[in-house]
Amino acid sequence: MNDGVNGVALAVFIFFFVLVTAMGFLAARWRKAANEHTLDEWGLGGRSFGTWVTWFLLGGDLYTAYTFVAVPAAIYAAGAAGFFAVPYTILVYPLIFTFLPRLWSVSHKHGYVTTSDFVRGRFGSKGLSLAVAVTGILATMPYIALQLVGIQAVLDVMGVGGGENTNWFVKDLPLLLAFGVLAAYTYSSGLRAPALIAFVKDTLIYLVIAVAIIYIPIKLGGFDEIFASAQEAYSQTNPATGAPRGAVVPGEAGQWTYATLALGSALALFMYPHSITATLSSRSREVIRRNTTILPLYSLMLGLLALLGFMAIAAGVKVQNGQLAIPQLFENMFPDWFAGVAFAAIGIGALVPAAIMSIAAANLFTRNIYKDFIKPDATPKQETAVSKIVSLLVKVGALIFVLTMDKTVAINFQLLGGIWILQTFPALVGGLFTRWFH
């Protein structure tokens, strides 16, 4: 890693960061409603987004800094096991085609804002609704933290994250500033901010992946050389376990682990509050149906992105923290100016989902804890005010999470949340199709 600051890359990164920050604040005026002090407006964008806005919003929501940093990092560290993210994003779309349009229709008819609203309406139980709400908030916290890990990895590689001997405040100051900007425009603009920024985020990511998948293999001697280097690296013994470091193809003992990890992740993905929030923001069930047919384009991108883990090995990237592998690969292989573009794609790829996740968690608290148990007569304006404040608190919780926990295993943050949120699957999906469950 470079000891100094990469000034050119940092300048490009700051340019895009300032651009999306301005867009975030201006988004409050985009499709502005007559009454903006409702959760339908602040938290769901007025339920007015069409096919393309919803596609970019869902893409920005589901394909995050976790995708860009943690998935290739898992492949860099352990090999093919990290590819579980590719099949699970393929499995998920036929699954959601069966139930998301129905959930949208029921929610639209009854004015539901969260999954807990639906659960309470279906089962008539505040207790079950509370359990789903608390589970959703807890599962979202490590996911937001994972986005901040992505920003921090980029800052570290650019040389502005501070060294190991730097005091904690100076080291984490850039991350704190990025957090502050995210909190401010989310508070101001609600869901419209990430919906607008998602256009920039997805354009940058597709551009970076297209360049990386062509340019880096050319510099490394082709994919034959890349896979040969990866195979050689994985065959070496891991001193901590006494076993090979990894494998290009999962061994027999790991195949069931791979399969169940992919299936479980697929079942959990659209149980997350932020996935449902982005879905309910669309203007019709047909928009959701169309999106389930075109969202797999992102899975193609993800498959190419995962290969960067192999490329990092072939390029001789050596990092103690695997989350730095892909940012360091970009730093080593790209010209400084394009490395800045790639870093901006990762950084914005963190800001968009973090904003949606904090809004979704805040809506859960407001509708299913505050209104159900603290102030049942809360007005729509009071609900919106509480959601705005809670969205800030959720981000603070995620920031504490990322500053105090081991970031070298960041992908486990997402898996942990997936295990928790999967427990809500029977109540939500089962409740959509049958009243048999008690």
Side-chain angles (χ1 to χ4, degrees):
M1 292 178 61
N2 295 333
D3 295 327
V5 175
N6 186 333
V8 174
L10 180 60
V12 175
F13 179 86
I14 291 174
F15 168 78
F16 281 106
F17 195 86
V18 171
L19 173 65
V20 299
T21 299
M23 291 176 67
F25 285 110
L26 290 173
R29 303 179 182 180
W30 179 43
R31 300 183 177 184
K32 190 172 183 179
N35 180 12
E36 60 190 89
H37 299 296
T38 66
L39 284 186
D40 269 9
E41 290 300 329
W42 183 82
L44 292 179
R47 301 183 193 252
S48 62
F49 296 148
T51 300
W52 286 110
V53 176
T54 302
W55 186 68
F56 279 106
L57 183 63
L58 278 170
D61 189 15
L62 304 177
Y63 297 87
T64 67
Y66 149 73
T67 312
F68 225 131
V69 173
V71 171
I75 292 168
Y76 170 82
F83 271 100
F84 81 92
V86 179
Y88 102 65
T89 58
I90 295 170
L91 287 171
V92 72
Y93 296 114
L95 291 173
I96 63 174
F97 188 86
T98 63
F99 75 88
L100 272 192
R102 186 177 180 90
L103 176 64
W104 184 93
S105 295
V106 174
S107 300
H108 186 76
K109 179 179 180 181
H110 297 284
Y112 296 152
V113 174
T114 68
T115 52
S116 290
D117 285 349
F118 167 78
V119 168
R120 184 185 173 192
R122 170 63 83 183
F123 297 102
S125 170
K126 281 188 177 182
L128 182 59
S129 171
L130 176 64
V132 172
V134 171
T135 302
I137 294 170
L138 288 177
T140 302
M141 295 285 280
Y143 218 157
I144 300 175
L146 193 56
Q147 311 315 312
L148 300 181
V149 168
I151 296 177
Q152 191 171 54
V154 166
L155 294 173
D156 285 349
V157 170
M158 283 192 294
V160 295
E164 290 301 320
N165 297 322
T166 309
N167 73 69
W168 71 268
F169 180 76
V170 173
K171 181 178 179 181
D172 295 318
L173 180 60
L175 181 64
L176 294 172
L177 292 174
F179 160 81
V181 170
L182 166 67
Y185 72 62
T186 305
Y187 185 93
S188 169
S189 303
L191 194 65
R192 286 179 171 82
L196 195 58
I197 294 171
F199 286 93
V200 177
K201 174 252 184 188
D202 288 354
T203 301
L204 286 178
I205 285 182
Y206 273 110
L207 173 64
V208 171
I209 294 303
V211 172
I213 208 69
I214 297 170
Y215 179 76
I216 295 178
I218 290 173
K219 291 195 70 174
L220 294 176
F223 278 102
D224 283 350
E225 185 66 29
I226 290 170
F227 285 113
S229 299
Q231 184 64 64
E232 181 181 351
Y234 293 139
S235 65
Q236 297 174 2
T237 301
N238 185 334
T241 63
R245 177 182 161 188
V248 174
V249 178
E252 186 176 347
Q255 289 174 6
W256 271 111
T257 304
Y258 182 92
T260 54
L261 187 56
L263 179 60
S265 298
L267 294 175
L269 184 59
F270 272 84
M271 298 299 102
Y272 278 105
H274 57 276
S275 302
I276 299 300
T277 295
T279 300
L280 296 184
S281 69
S282 58
R283 65 168 172 247
S284 73
R285 62 184 290 157
E286 290 307 312
V287 167
I288 299 168
R289 288 179 181 274
R290 284 194 290 268
N291 267 277
T292 58
T293 62
I294 59 178
L295 274 168
L297 285 173
Y298 281 99
S299 298
L300 173 62
M301 176 205 72
L302 179 56
L304 299 175
L305 178 62
L307 294 175
L308 295 178
F310 293 143
M311 295 180 198
I313 295 173
V317 171
K318 302 290 184 185
V319 290
Q320 292 297 317
N321 179 357
Q323 314 312 316
L324 301 179
I326 302 313
Q328 191 62 50
L329 174 68
F330 292 157
E331 171 90 353
N332 294 352
M333 303 300 293
F334 287 146
D336 287 347
W337 70 270
F338 196 76
V341 174
F343 295 153
I346 298 174
I348 299 169
L351 294 176
V352 171
I356 303 171
M357 290 169 190
S358 63
I359 290 169
N363 289 345
L364 279 171
F365 177 86
T366 301
R367 290 292 290 245
N368 309 114
I369 298 177
Y370 176 75
K371 186 168 185 177
D372 278 356
F373 295 95
I374 300 173
K375 190 174 176 60
D377 60 344
T379 64
K381 186 174 182 178
Q382 289 172 328
E383 287 181 8
T384 306
V386 170
S387 266
K388 288 183 174 183
I389 294 170
V390 173
S391 74
L392 299 179
L393 297 177
V394 168
K395 293 189 194 73
V396 171
L399 189 64
I400 294 171
F401 207 110
V402 77
L403 293 179
T404 57
M405 294 196 71
D406 180 9
K407 293 180 282 295
T408 61
V409 288
I411 198 167
N412 288 344
F413 290 1
Q414 193 266 348
L415 298 179
L416 182 66
I419 292 168
W420 292 341
I421 201 65
L422 190 54
Q423 313 309 310
T424 66
F425 187 93
L428 180 60
V429 178
L432 276 171
F433 294 98
T434 178
R435 292 184 181 272
W436 182 83
F437 295 107
H438 191 278

